[in-house]
Structure formats: structure tokens, C-alpha cells
Amino acid sequence: MKLLIIEDEVNLNTTIASFLTAAGYLCETVSNFKDAIEKIDLYEYDCIILDIMLPDGSGLELLQYLKLNKKNDGVIIISAKDSLDDKLTGLQLGADDYLTKPFHLPELAMRVAAIIRRKKMDGHNIININEWLYIDTIAQRVIIHNAAIELTQKEYQLLLFFVVNKNRILSKSAIAQHLWGDDMDLADHYDFIYTHIKNLRKKILLAGGEDCIRSIYGAGYKFQVNQ
């Protein structure tokens, strides 16, 4: 999943990019209006993180540009301005969300993930994996072969992270950052991730589901399903 970070504060730009890269995203960064236009013209992004105040233009103008060019990139506005007018204008111009500085990086990551889920699911709240696994992202309900299964919150978040990134290798670090964010103690081992994955796999198999979680030696894990 590819992100574009448009932020002129160098430290904040770098911090956001580092955090989201560790969470498993491919991040590109720019710090001004001109470079942002060039990136938008060349590529499509799953989500754009957009500061309103740029040294050579306005983030709201970039939103207008995206709209005029019929771009479907998700957009989260980040700005120190806590103005209702700015929020309404941004949302009317096509932004998906608005986050006021200062903010917590795990909250930004969660909002990025939510936007990408909506975009990938075409606005629907039900994820269907090969007619045997269904996830209702609003009710946070998981159904396997027409029977609901009980998952802890972390198991649910882990399953959703796997499914949204199906057939893609996720590093242990990316999984840890997704589940715990800033509260994650970066230790030398990830036994707690193995425990959650073991419990999740066991519940899926007991419900008659397929064993889709693959351990990729030296790389991480992958939720492998036929397209």
C-alpha cells in the first residue's frame, strides 16, 4: 500500500514516514506544492496525508486538483488549524478525514487503514474471502461458514490486517506497530505476536476455516488465499 506524505515540517514529515513505513506502508514524501503536483500526476496512492499550509501553495488547492483530475486517492488532511470552515471545505473538496495537529501517530495509522479499507471494499462494510470467511467491519463480527466466532480485540485487528493485506508478506515489526503503535515495547523477540497468531489460527481451524496464515522464514507472515 502506497502513501504520499505532503508536509513542510521536516521533522514531522520524517517521523510520520518512519512510523508508517514500520507499519508496512510504502511511503513517499514531499514538502511543497510543486513537488506534490508532480507526484500526483505520476502515481496513484492508496492514501495521501496532506498538510493544508504549504510554503508555495495550499493543500485545499491540491484537493481541488485531485477532484478536477478525477483522482481516487484517499486523503487525510493534517493541519494546525482547528477551524470548522477548513474542515468543511476540505471534506467538501473530497478529503476523507481531517486530523488536527498535534496528533498521535497510532491514531493517524488507524485512520489511514480505515480509509484504505473503505477504498478497497468499494464502500461496503463486509469483507468476503472465498465464500467461507466474512468480516463485518462495522459490527466487528467474524463469520466462518455461517457461524460467528469469538475473537479478542487484538485477534480481530490482526485478522483484519492480514485480510486487507492478503497475499502480501507482513513483517513482525509491521504487525507489532499495527497492533500496539507507540505502546509497543520493541524487544529483541516477538513472542507475543506468535501467541496471537497461534490463537487466531486455532480458532479459524476449529470453525472449519482454511489454514491461510503462512510463516515466511526470515520475513514475517502472509495471509495466503486464491484470488
Side-chain angles (χ1 to χ4, degrees), residues 109-204:
M110 288 178 64
R111 295 193 186 204
V112 168
I115 287 173
I116 292 174
R117 283 200 301 271
R118 289 199 297 269
K119 297 288 183 182
K120 286 180 177 290
M121 294 167 59
D122 298 323
H124 301 293
N125 65 292
I126 303 294
I127 299 175
N128 174 7
I129 300 295
N130 293 344
E131 306 299 329
W132 66 269
L133 170 63
Y134 295 85
I135 304 174
D136 184 334
T137 60
I138 293 180
Q140 294 193 3
R141 191 163 178 254
V142 177
I143 298 173
I144 295 178
H145 293 308
N146 299 317
I149 67 170
E150 295 295 327
L151 299 179
T152 67
Q153 187 62 31
K154 291 299 183 188
E155 289 166 356
Y156 172 79
Q157 292 172 0
L158 178 61
L159 176 61
L160 194 58
F161 193 44
F162 273 134
V163 168
V164 170
N165 294 282
K166 62 181 183 293
N167 296 323
R168 177 170 177 256
I169 297 174
L170 299 174
S171 69
K172 294 178 182 178
S173 176
I175 295 170
Q177 288 285 356
H178 179 76
L179 294 180
W180 285 276
D182 282 346
D183 295 327
M184 212 286 292
D185 182 18
L186 290 174
D188 293 333
H189 57 82
Y190 295 94
D191 288 346
F192 52 89
I193 292 177
Y194 172 76
T195 299
H196 284 299
I197 289 175
K198 179 182 177 182
N199 292 337
L200 175 60
R201 178 187 280 130
K202 181 179 179 180
K203 290 181 180 181
I204 291 174

Side-chain angles (χ1 to χ4, degrees), residues 86-99:
D86 285 332
K87 290 181 181 181
L88 292 176
T89 300
L91 294 173
Q92 287 170 351
L93 289 173
D96 298 277
D97 205 348
Y98 190 111
L99 197 55

